[in-house]
């Protein structure tokens, strides 16, 4: 098992070692790798046999790496034990197993000096500031000297300057950086590629040559000596030792143009030898050209003619340099020139042939090749100079050489010049000399045909792309400043407008080949990049930032410039800034909403909640974030951006919600979960629109919303639920009333249990109603309230229906007869025994009349019901107010009106019905007591055979018994109402006796005084010395009986005269009032109870009233 682990560990070590070596050799850490004999690429080299220490030492020194030496070093090192250079020098590791190797060595191991890490570049991957202290001068290692020598040497500044740049490959364009660089591969100029295969290094080196020629035109070009350069430290080393906190590169070069050109050389990574070669070549080219400016030279041609093969250290470098110059000539003069060739066009093929022959001459023998090269260069000059000096650009004709006017070539060259303004070690910062460098670049405008518009456009592009790479906000600010400096069409001169119009190129895109203008080539990539970010600003600017605001500015400025370009319809740019902002909002919110949709399913499973409910909550959170972070930025260019956002979110969520709304038929758990969340989202959307827009605009946006109508749909479902619950409530009321036995719940609670059960069911229904956490309109509450109101009305009706018919307990009124003299007491008794109404009395045993205690419990129950209505009503409205507290403000005024009107008559119907039944029971209780319970002593026997022998005092005791019984059971608030009912029934009974007492009762005028006394006794009984009914109430009730008793005090003649005084035929049914204040019926009844013949004769003659029968 241990052996397997060792093998696995060894394999892993071998694999990691190869990866490390491959990384070092393939990267820019080694300037030049020399393959061993027989190997062409690294794939041909066995990396297992390459010494890692040797490679790392070469990387630290920045020198060449000869892999054959590295392999040799590896095999040499295997002869010695592996050393641990990080620890004590006394330690070493044995290759052999000590247990099988005998005794340990007796002598000490050889001395190994402690290696001090180089202070210049200890690790290429470390971004910490490096020490730049001076180190002692020591002789550099020769190539043949062993790197494992005991003599330890440190790499100095001069060592790096001593390397011959021409012996190395050109420095890779990738630089060591203090920051992580972003991928900018999708931000590419809309320019065609070069047919000759020119690369960035070619353009950079040619751009520097052009800059030198431009500087030479002002007389600032000199050739510095190498000895002078040796006196200074390398600029690269000073940069490596610079503090990371420094803002810009500190320059220690010579002042003026000379120092600036030296800065440019370092910034553009041009070797000193190449710089010197180019300067000498340009100066030699000016020999014999008196009066001619250096910037009017055909630079690649002149350099080809003035720089020989001998100035290069190796043939490979020379061939590469010559190839670049030939490619530049072909690109600048032939492939894409800015002006037509005219008659010179036939010489183009000759030019191409000459270029090929010059390149071919390097493969010929030296003597033959040099002769062919010289002849071809002479012929090339004869063809190229006329092509370069052909007329172009109006007033500039003849002043400069137009070899680099091929539009996309010249701007690419100028781009390389502009790229030098960035710090070598911190690409996110500009150098200190940036202003001087930009001023120097203007000297190259003549050569490259650069105008102010082209300069600002190119510089803005360079800054912008550098921002994309580094993410440095300061660079973006500079780019915005340059974009704003690009003049609009009307701000450009006519000559520049014509020139820019001629700058077009044909590029291949996803839609095929397209013709692009200069501004389109540079600004469309910027526009597409900004559009890409802003089309999903939720993703790219998660927390919002100054960067988003800057990107919006970039997009708007670029868009304004592009709108002036012709044939832009294919890109379908919106007409106004507001439309562009709307497109950003629309695109980004759709993307963000799509991401939320993906997350909702997972969240739904975890939270056990309906996805639409979670979607509504997450969408509302998204809206709140938008209105807080993003909309303040976008609203600067679209004042109603918030409304656009809210409207779009409303539509997006509505699409997902509609199928659910259409399928909702009952109040399910899903409905209760989704509806409140959806309604809350909609209300918040409307709030955003109304709070951020002017009144007219807000109304317009709100009208365009296809409202979810949650309240309407929810209201319909709630109504269905309410109706089902009300049906259940109705059944419970019926059941409770049927099971009621009208027995007090307790001594303190003297009401029946059925009303308690009814209230329990009602409150349970109300609780369930308010537990429905769904949007409701006041109409649903009104429906519930009406249903509850109706339930109490039904209850009250059931109680009223349990009462016996009042007509059944009141005996029928006797037939009116006039008194007969020969009929004595016996006759009256006999008549009474044979009275026609006696069968009705006998039938009374079949009538179900509730007992007085039962009636009292019913009254108490009804009173409990009506007294609890106020509490129930207040509870309902308090809960409704809380429920509607967060509703939309626009709906509140209308709702408040509906609320007040609904509350005003919430339970008026049940109050009215219950009070009516209470009055009915109170009246029935009194009637039942007098006409049923006390019928015999009161209705049948009072004042028989005469008043004096049967006074009302005999009834006070039974009345008192009944009254005590009532007061013991009835609740205090109802006592007066019940006693008043008993008073009214007592007075009705008294009137019945004295007006409809039948033939057995007779009254004389002398009885009136006794009757008055009895009435007073009855009155005082109910007043009860102030403990009973109020005296005024009793007096009002008694007054109607007192008027009748007063009629009994009049003589028969006076009563007859009063009847006759009415004039004409006196009808028995007449209801008119006489002088005595009584109606005809009352007077007739009084006369029917008189014993004198005068009354009998009058009644017989006038009203045909028969005599009573014996």
């Amino acid at each position: 098992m241990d052996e397997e682990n060792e093998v696995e560990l060894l394999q892993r070590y071998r694999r990691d070692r190869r990866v490390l070596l491959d990384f070092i050799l393939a990267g820019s850490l080694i300037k030049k790798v020399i393959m061993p004999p027989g190997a062409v690429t690294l794939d041909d080299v066995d990396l297992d046999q390459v010494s890692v220490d040797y490679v790392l030492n070469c990387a630290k020194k920045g020198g060449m790496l000869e892999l054959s030496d590295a392999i040799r070093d590896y095999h040499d090192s295997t002869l010695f034990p592996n050393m641990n250079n990080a620890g004590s020098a006394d330690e070493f590791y044995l290759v052999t197993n000590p247990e099988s190797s005998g005794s340990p060595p007796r002598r000490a191991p050889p001395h190994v000096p402690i290696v001090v890490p180089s202070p210049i570049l200890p690790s290429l991957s470390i971004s910490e500031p490096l020490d730049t202290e001076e180190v002692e001068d020591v002789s550099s290692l020769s190539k043949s000297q062993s790197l494992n020598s005991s003599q330890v040497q440190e790499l100095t500044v001069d060592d790096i300057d001593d390397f011959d740049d021409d012996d190395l490959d050109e420095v890779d364009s990738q630089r060591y950086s203090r920051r992580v660089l972003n991928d900018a591969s999708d931000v590419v100029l809309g320019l065609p590629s070069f047919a000759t295969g020119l690369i960035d290094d070619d353009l950079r080196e040619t751009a520097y040559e052009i800059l030198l020629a431009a500087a030479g035109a002002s007389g600032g070009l000199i050739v510095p000596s190498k000895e002078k350069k040796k006196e200074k430290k390398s600029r690269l080393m000073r940069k490596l030792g610079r503090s990371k906190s420094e803002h810009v590169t500190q320059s220690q070069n010579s002042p003026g143009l000379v120092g600036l050109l030296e800065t440019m050389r370092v910034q553009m990574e041009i070797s000193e030898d190449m710089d010197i070669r180019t300067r000498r070549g340009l100066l030699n080219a000016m020999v014999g050209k008196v009066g001619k400016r250096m910037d009017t030279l055909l630079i690649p041609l002149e350099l080809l003619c003035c720089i020989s093969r001998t100035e290069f250290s190796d043939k490979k470098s020379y061939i590469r340099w010559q190839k670049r110059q030939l490619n530049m000539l072909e690109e600048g003069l032939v492939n894409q020139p800015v002006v037509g060739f005219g008659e010179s066009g036939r010489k183009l093929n000759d030019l191409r042939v000459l270029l090929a022959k010059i390149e071919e001459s390097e493969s010929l023998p030296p003597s033959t090749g040099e002769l062919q090269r010289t002849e071809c260069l002479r012929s090339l000059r004869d063809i190229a100079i006329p092509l370069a000096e052909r007329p172009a650009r109006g007033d500039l004709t003849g002043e400069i050489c137009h070899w680099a006017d091929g539009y996309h070539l010249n701007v690419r060259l100028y781009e390389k010049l502009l790229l030098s303004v960035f710090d070598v070690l911190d690409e996110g910062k500009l150098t200190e000399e940036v202003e001087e460098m930009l001023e120097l670049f203007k000297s190259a405008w003549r050569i490259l045909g650069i105008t102010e518009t082209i300069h600002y456009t190119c510089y803005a592009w360079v800054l912008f792309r550098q921002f994309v790479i580094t993410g440095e906000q300061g660079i973006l600010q500079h780019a915005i400043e340059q974009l704003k400096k690009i003049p609009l069409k009307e701000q450009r001169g006519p000559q520049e407008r014509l020139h820019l119009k001629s700058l077009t190129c044909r590029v291949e895109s996803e839609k095929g080949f397209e013709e692009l203008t200069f501004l389109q080539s540079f600004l469309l990539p910027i526009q597409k990049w900004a559009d890409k970010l802003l089309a999903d600003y939720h993703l790219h600017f998660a927390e919002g930032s100054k960067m988003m605001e800057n990107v919006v500015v970039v997009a708007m400025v670029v868009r304004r410039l592009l709108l002036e370009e012709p044939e832009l319809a294919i890109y379908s740019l919106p007409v106004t800034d507001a439309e562009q902002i709307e497109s950003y909002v629309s695109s980004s919110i759709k993307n963000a909403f799509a991401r939320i949709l993906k997350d909702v399913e997972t969240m739904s499973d975890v939270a056990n909640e309906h996805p639409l409910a979670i979607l509504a909550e997450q969408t509302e959170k998204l809206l709140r974030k938008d209105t807080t972070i993003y909309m303040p930025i976008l609203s600067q260019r679209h004042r109603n951006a918030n409304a656009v956002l809210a409207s779009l979110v409303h539509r997006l969520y509505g699409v997902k919600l509609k199928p659910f709304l259409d399928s909702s038929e009952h109040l399910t758990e899903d409905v209760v979960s989704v509806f409140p969340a959806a309604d809350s989202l909609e209300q918040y959307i409307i709030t955003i629109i109304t709070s951020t827009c002017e009144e007219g605009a807000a109304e317009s946006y709100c009208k365009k919303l296809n409202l979810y109508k949650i309240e309407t749909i929810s209201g319909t479902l709630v109504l269905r639920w309410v109706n089902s619950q009300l049906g259940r409530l109705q059944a419970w009321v019926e059941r409770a009333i049927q099971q009621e036995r009208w027995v007090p719940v307790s001594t303190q609670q003297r009401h029946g249990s059925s009303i308690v059960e009814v209230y329990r069911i009602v409150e349970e229904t109300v609780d369930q109603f308010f537990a429905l956490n769904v949007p409701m309109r006041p109409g649903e509450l009104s429906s519930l309230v009406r249903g509850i109101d109706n339930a109490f009305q039904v209850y009250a009706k059931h109680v009223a229906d349990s009462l016996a018919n009042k007509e059944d307990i009141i005996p029928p009124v006797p037939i009116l007869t006039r008194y007969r003299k020969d009929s004595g007491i016996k006759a009256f008794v006999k008549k009474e025994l044979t009275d026609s109404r006696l069968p009705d009395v006998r039938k009374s045993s079949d009538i179900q009349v509730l007992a007085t205690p039962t009636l009292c419990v019913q009254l108490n129950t009804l009173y409990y019901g009506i007294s609890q209505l106020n509490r129930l009503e207040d509870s309902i409205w308090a809960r409704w107010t809380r429920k509607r507290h967060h509703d939309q403000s626009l709906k509140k005024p209308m709702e408040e009106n509906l609320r007040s009107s609904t509350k005003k008559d919430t339970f008026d119907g049940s109050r009215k019905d219950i009070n009516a039944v209470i009055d009915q029971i109170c009246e029935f209780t009194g009637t039942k007591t007098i006409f049923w319970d006390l019928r015999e002593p009161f209705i049948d026997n009072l004042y028989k055979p005469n008043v004096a022998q049967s006074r009302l005092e005999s009834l006070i005791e039974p009345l008192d018994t009944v009254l005590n019984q009532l007061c013991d059971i009835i609740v205090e608030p109802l006592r007066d109402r019940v006693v008043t009912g008993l008073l009214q029934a007592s007075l009705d009974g008294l009137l019945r006796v004295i007006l409809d007492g039948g033939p057995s009762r007779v009254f004389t005028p002398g009885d009136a005084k006794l009757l008055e006394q009895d009435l007073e006794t009855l009155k005082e009984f109910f007043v009860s010395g102030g403990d009973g009914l109020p005296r005024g109430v009793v007096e009002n009730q008694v007054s109607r009986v007192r008027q009748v008793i007063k009629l009994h005090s009049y003589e028969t003649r006076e009563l007859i005269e009063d009847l006759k005084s009415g004039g004409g035929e006196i009808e028995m049914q007449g209801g008119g009032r006489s002088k005595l204040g009584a109606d005809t019926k009352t007077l007739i009844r009084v006369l029917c109870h008189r014993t004198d013949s005068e009354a009998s004769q009058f009644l017989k003659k006038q009203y045909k009233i028969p005599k009573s029968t014996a």
Side-chain angles (χ1 to χ4, degrees):
M1 188 67 179
D2 293 337
E3 292 180 359
E4 292 178 1
N5 291 337
E6 291 177 0
V7 172
E8 181 181 357
L9 185 62
L10 182 62
Q11 291 176 346
R12 183 185 303 175
Y13 164 77
R14 181 172 178 268
R15 183 172 61 252
D16 292 347
R17 186 179 185 277
R18 291 181 63 87
V19 171
L20 173 63
L21 281 171
D22 186 72
F23 169 78
I24 296 174
L25 298 177
S28 58
L29 300 179
I30 305 296
K31 287 189 176 181
K32 184 174 182 179
V33 178
I34 300 175
M35 298 293 173
V40 179
T41 64
L42 288 177
D43 295 335
D44 301 327
V45 180
D46 185 5
L47 296 181
D48 291 338
Q49 299 186 35
V50 175
S51 171
V52 175
D53 293 334
Y54 188 94
V55 173
L56 291 178
N57 284 331
C58 287
K60 289 179 181 180
K61 293 179 180 181
M64 295 182 297
L65 171 63
E66 292 189 3
L67 284 178
S68 57
D69 291 342
I71 295 171
R72 185 183 308 109
D73 182 81
Y74 170 82
H75 290 288
D76 291 342
S77 65
T78 57
L79 302 176
F80 303 99
N82 292 327
M83 304 302 296
N84 178 16
N85 295 330
S88 170
D90 297 329
E91 291 182 341
F92 67 93
Y93 297 97
L94 298 176
V95 178
T96 59
N97 188 346
E99 296 180 359
S100 60
S101 300
S103 59
R106 297 181 181 276
R107 58 184 178 82
H111 176 71
V112 179
I114 300 176
V115 179
V116 180
S118 172
I120 297 177
L121 196 62
S123 175
L124 293 176
S125 61
I126 297 177
S127 59
E128 296 297 326
L130 303 174
D131 190 9
T132 57
E133 294 181 359
E134 294 290 339
V135 294
E136 297 180 358
D137 271 344
V138 293
S139 61
S140 60
L141 293 171
S142 66
K143 293 182 182 180
S144 61
Q145 187 175 0
S146 172
L147 292 176
N148 289 325
S149 170
S150 61
Q151 182 181 4
V152 180
Q153 297 180 350
E154 296 180 352
L155 189 65
T156 65
V157 172
D158 292 331
D159 290 334
I160 295 180
D161 282 338
D162 286 341
F163 284 119
D164 189 351
D165 294 320
D166 288 324
D167 291 338
L168 307 174
D169 283 337
E170 297 300 326
V171 179
D172 193 283
S173 61
Q174 180 181 358
R175 302 166 179 172
Y176 306 128
S177 176
R178 297 171 184 260
R179 62 177 73 238
V180 177
L181 302 183
N182 303 318
D183 181 19
S185 58
D186 57 339
V187 184
V188 181
L189 279 176
L191 297 174
S193 58
F194 294 108
T196 59
L198 287 174
I199 60 176
D200 286 347
D201 285 345
D202 297 335
L203 295 171
R204 172 173 51 81
E205 292 167 0
T206 301
Y208 182 72
E209 293 169 353
I210 291 173
L211 186 65
L212 289 179
S218 59
L221 190 64
I222 61 174
V223 181
S225 63
K226 282 193 174 183
E227 289 73 15
K228 187 175 182 180
K229 286 180 175 288
K230 288 277 290 181
E231 295 174 359
K232 299 181 296 179
K233 287 185 178 181
S234 168
R235 182 181 180 84
L236 176 61
M237 293 301 102
R238 290 199 304 273
K239 285 179 178 290
L240 290 174
R242 188 189 64 189
S243 171
K244 185 178 180 180
S245 61
E246 291 185 41
H247 179 66
V248 292
T249 303
Q250 299 296 324
S251 175
Q252 297 182 9
N253 285 319
S254 303
L257 181 59
V258 174
L260 189 58
L261 286 175
E262 175 63 15
T263 299
M264 286 299 305
R265 182 192 70 78
V266 176
Q267 288 293 112
M268 297 186 73
E269 301 178 4
I270 303 299
S271 66
E272 292 180 1
D273 283 348
M274 180 180 291
D275 177 40
I276 293 173
R277 263 198 316 269
T278 305
R279 290 171 186 249
R280 286 175 178 168
L282 290 173
L283 291 174
N284 291 335
M286 293 298 298
V287 175
K289 297 182 175 63
V290 180
K292 193 173 182 67
R293 293 170 56 93
M294 189 177 290
D295 56 2
T296 61
L297 296 176
L298 182 52
I299 295 173
L301 178 62
E302 299 296 343
L303 292 177
L304 284 170
C305 294
C306 297
I307 297 178
S308 66
R309 162 72 181 83
T310 58
E311 296 186 45
F312 290 85
S313 60
D314 61 68
K315 185 176 182 181
K316 181 179 177 182
S317 298
Y318 173 73
I319 292 175
R320 178 183 174 282
W321 174 86
Q322 180 179 262
K323 178 67 174 176
R324 171 170 64 82
Q325 304 295 348
L326 295 175
N327 288 341
M328 283 295 169
L329 283 174
E330 184 175 353
E331 288 291 347
L333 292 175
V334 178
N335 290 345
Q336 293 194 25
V338 72
V339 294
F341 295 106
E343 296 181 357
S344 303
R346 64 180 180 274
K347 297 182 179 181
L348 293 181
N349 289 331
D350 296 341
L351 188 145
R352 287 193 175 97
V353 170
L354 290 174
L355 294 176
K357 284 185 176 182
I358 294 174
E359 187 174 355
E360 179 188 343
S361 65
E362 297 302 324
S363 61
L364 300 176
S367 57
T368 308
E370 186 61 30
L371 180 61
Q372 179 174 318
R373 181 177 182 277
T374 303
E375 293 177 354
C376 289
L377 283 175
R378 187 181 302 110
S379 302
L380 183 62
R381 179 182 295 275
D382 295 338
I383 298 176
I385 295 299
L387 286 177
E389 293 181 351
R390 64 191 186 279
R393 294 216 303 268
D395 59 338
L396 299 180
T397 300
E399 293 186 4
I400 63 173
C401 189
H402 301 290
W403 68 272
D405 284 351
Y407 170 38
H408 71 282
L409 174 62
N410 61 359
V411 293
R412 291 296 297 272
L413 290 170
Y414 192 61
E415 178 191 14
K416 294 305 174 184
L417 286 178
L418 292 171
L419 280 171
S420 63
V421 301
F422 301 108
D423 192 343
V424 173
L425 292 182
D426 195 348
E427 294 88 342
K429 293 186 175 65
L430 298 173
T431 63
E432 187 182 41
E433 302 89 349
V434 59
E435 296 299 332
E436 293 87 344
M437 292 167 69
L438 291 174
E439 193 64 30
L440 177 61
F441 296 161
K442 287 185 179 180
S443 63
W445 285 17
R446 293 166 56 87
I447 300 175
L448 299 174
I450 303 298
T451 65
E452 187 178 60
T453 300
I454 295 176
H455 164 72
Y456 288 132
T457 305
C458 290
Y459 193 29
W461 160 258
V462 168
L463 289 168
F464 169 76
R465 194 171 190 278
Q466 196 71 9
F467 157 72
V468 175
I469 294 173
T470 63
E472 182 64 40
Q473 293 294 311
I475 298 294
L476 182 59
Q477 289 287 355
H478 286 301
I480 292 174
E481 292 174 7
Q482 300 305 314
L483 285 171
K484 290 180 177 179
K485 290 180 181 179
I486 299 175
L488 296 174
K489 202 167 187 177
E490 65 272 9
Q491 297 171 339
R492 304 168 197 156
Q495 181 179 340
E496 187 177 23
R497 284 202 296 269
L498 289 173
H499 176 56
L500 290 176
K501 187 177 181 180
S502 67
L503 302 183
T504 60
C505 63
R506 184 177 174 84
V507 295
E508 186 176 3
S509 67
E510 297 176 355
K511 301 178 181 179
F513 285 93
E514 295 176 348
E515 289 286 341
L516 297 181
T517 64
F518 165 75
L519 285 177
Q520 288 172 359
S521 295
F522 278 79
L523 299 183
L524 279 177
I526 301 178
Q527 177 76 34
K528 290 176 181 177
W529 179 88
D531 287 348
K532 179 181 178 181
L533 264 63
L534 293 175
D536 198 354
Y537 55 77
H538 292 87
L539 178 65
H540 298 104
F541 311 102
E543 297 300 327
S545 61
K546 181 68 176 176
M547 179 179 171
M548 178 179 173
E549 188 172 349
N550 289 335
V551 173
V552 172
V553 174
V554 168
M556 294 298 105
V557 173
V558 170
R559 181 184 163 279
R560 179 192 61 184
L561 293 167
L562 287 175
L563 282 175
E564 295 185 329
E565 294 301 296
E567 299 178 2
L568 204 62
I570 57 174
Y571 297 101
S572 303
L573 288 180
V575 177
T576 64
D577 286 356
E579 290 178 352
Q580 183 67 58
I581 296 298
E582 284 189 19
S583 70
Y584 292 150
V585 173
S586 174
S587 176
S588 187
I589 202 67
K590 286 177 181 177
N591 290 329
F593 189 77
R595 286 191 289 272
I596 291 177
L597 283 175
K598 293 181 180 179
D599 297 337
V600 160
E601 291 298 332
T602 304
M603 297 172 66
S604 175
D605 295 337
V606 175
N608 195 23
E609 192 175 356
H610 195 280
L612 283 175
I614 299 177
L615 180 61
E617 294 169 2
Q618 295 301 314
T619 304
E620 188 170 336
K621 287 182 182 178
L622 177 67
L623 268 178
R624 293 185 185 278
K625 181 178 180 180
D626 265 55
T627 54
T628 304
I629 298 176
Y630 304 120
M631 289 304 109
I633 298 173
L634 299 178
S635 296
Q636 296 175 10
R637 300 181 181 274
H638 191 326
R639 60 181 180 179
N640 293 330
N642 283 282
V644 173
L645 167 73
S647 301
L648 182 59
V649 169
H650 186 274
R651 181 169 61 83
L652 290 173
Y653 183 76
V655 171
K656 301 297 179 183
L657 180 65
K658 189 177 186 305
F660 181 82
L661 294 179
D662 294 341
S663 62
S664 299
E665 297 180 354
H666 302 285
L667 282 178
T668 61
E669 290 184 4
D670 288 344
V671 168
V672 174
S673 173
V674 173
F675 277 21
D679 187 63
S680 173
L681 174 62
E682 184 171 62
Q683 296 305 320
Y684 182 63
I685 287 172
I686 294 175
T687 301
I688 291 175
I689 295 175
T690 54
S691 62
T692 58
C693 297
E694 297 178 356
E695 185 176 352
E699 184 179 356
S700 175
Y701 277 106
C702 287
K703 284 182 178 179
K704 294 177 183 178
L705 295 179
N706 185 14
L707 296 177
Y708 304 151
K709 300 179 181 177
I710 298 290
E711 277 196 351
T712 303
I713 300 173
S714 175
T716 302
L717 302 183
V718 171
L719 277 178
R720 292 177 186 173
W721 179 88
V722 167
N723 291 335
S724 66
Q725 290 300 107
L726 291 178
R728 173 174 168 267
L729 176 61
Q730 192 81 7
W732 271 100
V733 170
E734 299 277 354
R735 177 183 175 186
I737 202 73
Q738 289 173 6
Q739 295 178 347
E740 181 62 77
R741 295 296 176 262
W742 302 116
V743 177
V745 174
S746 65
T747 306
Q748 290 75 26
Q749 297 177 331
R750 288 172 279 179
H751 51 266
S753 61
S754 60
I755 192 66
V756 178
E757 181 68 13
V758 169
Y759 264 104
R760 185 185 69 80
I761 299 303
V762 167
E763 290 175 354
E764 181 181 307
T765 303
V766 172
D767 290 343
Q768 291 176 355
F769 176 82
F770 285 107
L772 298 174
N773 188 23
V774 294
M776 300 180 193
R777 299 162 298 182
E780 284 76 69
L781 178 67
S782 299
S783 178
L784 176 67
V785 169
R786 284 195 302 271
I788 296 174
D789 189 43
N790 182 65
F792 283 113
Q793 292 179 46
V794 169
Y795 184 89
K797 184 177 182 301
H798 276 288
V799 175
D801 290 345
S802 67
L803 300 177
N805 194 343
K806 187 177 178 182
E807 283 71 19
D808 291 339
I809 62 173
I810 298 177
V813 177
I815 299 174
L816 284 178
T817 58
R818 49 193 173 86
Y819 185 76
R820 185 176 181 180
K821 287 185 179 181
D822 56 355
S823 62
I825 297 299
K826 293 179 181 180
F828 281 116
V829 174
K830 184 178 180 181
K831 180 180 184 300
E832 198 172 62
L833 293 174
T834 60
D835 199 321
S836 61
R837 62 186 174 86
L838 290 181
D840 293 329
V841 175
R842 288 193 298 269
K843 195 181 71 172
S844 64
S845 60
D846 300 331
I847 301 173
Q848 297 295 327
V849 179
L850 298 177
T852 300
T854 300
L855 294 173
C856 291
V857 173
Q858 286 184 335
L859 286 171
N860 292 343
T861 302
L862 291 174
Y863 179 76
Y864 177 86
I866 200 170
S867 64
Q868 294 297 311
L869 279 178
N870 290 335
R871 183 184 63 82
L872 177 63
E873 186 177 61
D874 292 343
S875 172
I876 289 174
W877 283 110
R879 294 166 75 174
W880 178 254
T881 302
R882 289 195 299 269
K883 183 177 180 64
R884 300 293 287 179
H885 179 68
H886 298 293
D887 277 2
Q888 180 187 359
S889 58
L890 294 177
K891 295 182 179 181
K892 284 184 179 177
M894 179 179 66
E895 180 185 319
E896 286 297 324
N897 294 335
L898 182 57
R899 177 188 183 277
S900 59
S901 63
T902 305
K903 185 174 182 180
K904 183 178 179 181
D905 57 356
T906 301
F907 295 121
D908 278 6
S910 53
R911 285 192 180 93
K912 181 179 178 181
D913 285 7
I914 292 175
N915 275 315
V917 175
I918 289 176
D919 290 339
Q920 183 182 349
I921 296 177
C922 288
E923 181 183 354
F924 180 82
T925 302
T927 302
K928 179 248 182 193
T929 301
I930 299 301
F931 288 93
W932 186 266
D933 296 338
L934 299 179
R935 177 174 180 175
E936 183 176 351
F938 200 135
I939 303 301
D940 293 345
N941 296 325
L942 182 62
Y943 300 144
K944 286 185 180 180
N946 55 55
V947 175
Q949 293 180 6
S950 179
R951 300 292 297 275
L952 190 131
E953 289 179 355
S954 61
L955 296 175
I956 294 300
E957 185 175 348
L959 279 176
D960 187 53
T961 301
V962 172
L963 197 57
N964 287 335
Q965 186 183 27
L966 289 174
C967 292
D968 287 343
I969 303 175
I970 207 74
V971 293
E972 184 67 31
L974 290 181
R975 286 180 183 176
D976 284 357
R977 294 175 70 176
V978 174
V979 174
T980 300
L982 182 60
L983 170 62
Q984 291 174 344
S986 300
L987 294 175
D988 289 341
L990 186 58
L991 284 176
R992 169 70 177 268
V993 170
I994 64 177
L995 287 180
D996 292 306
S1000 60
R1001 287 188 175 93
V1002 293
F1003 300 100
T1004 64
D1007 293 334
K1009 188 175 182 180
L1010 298 176
L1011 293 174
E1012 184 67 32
Q1013 291 174 356
D1014 287 350
L1015 182 61
E1016 192 66 24
T1017 299
L1018 185 64
K1019 183 184 77 171
E1020 291 302 325
F1021 171 76
F1022 282 101
V1023 172
S1024 188
D1027 294 334
L1029 295 175
R1031 184 174 294 276
V1033 173
V1034 176
E1035 187 61 44
N1036 287 336
Q1037 295 291 335
V1038 167
S1039 62
R1040 60 189 178 94
V1041 180
R1042 183 172 282 115
Q1043 294 295 330
V1044 175
I1045 292 177
K1046 187 178 180 181
L1047 292 177
H1048 279 290
S1049 68
Y1050 290 107
E1051 295 293 335
T1052 302
R1053 179 180 50 80
E1054 291 178 292
L1055 295 174
I1056 293 173
E1057 288 297 328
D1058 192 46
L1059 278 170
K1060 291 181 179 181
S1061 65
E1065 186 70 21
I1066 301 175
E1067 295 293 337
M1068 183 174 177
Q1069 301 298 327
R1073 292 277 176 179
S1074 64
K1075 293 179 180 180
L1076 297 178
D1079 56 46
T1080 303
K1081 291 181 180 180
T1082 304
L1083 290 174
I1084 292 174
R1085 281 172 169 74
V1086 172
L1087 287 175
C1088 286
H1089 290 81
R1090 292 294 174 95
T1091 59
D1092 54 82
S1093 58
E1094 185 178 6
S1096 179
Q1097 290 298 324
F1098 176 77
L1099 293 173
K1100 176 183 178 182
K1101 181 180 178 181
Q1102 192 68 35
Y1103 296 104
K1104 304 297 187 291
I1105 296 177
K1107 286 185 178 182
S1108 60
T1109 58

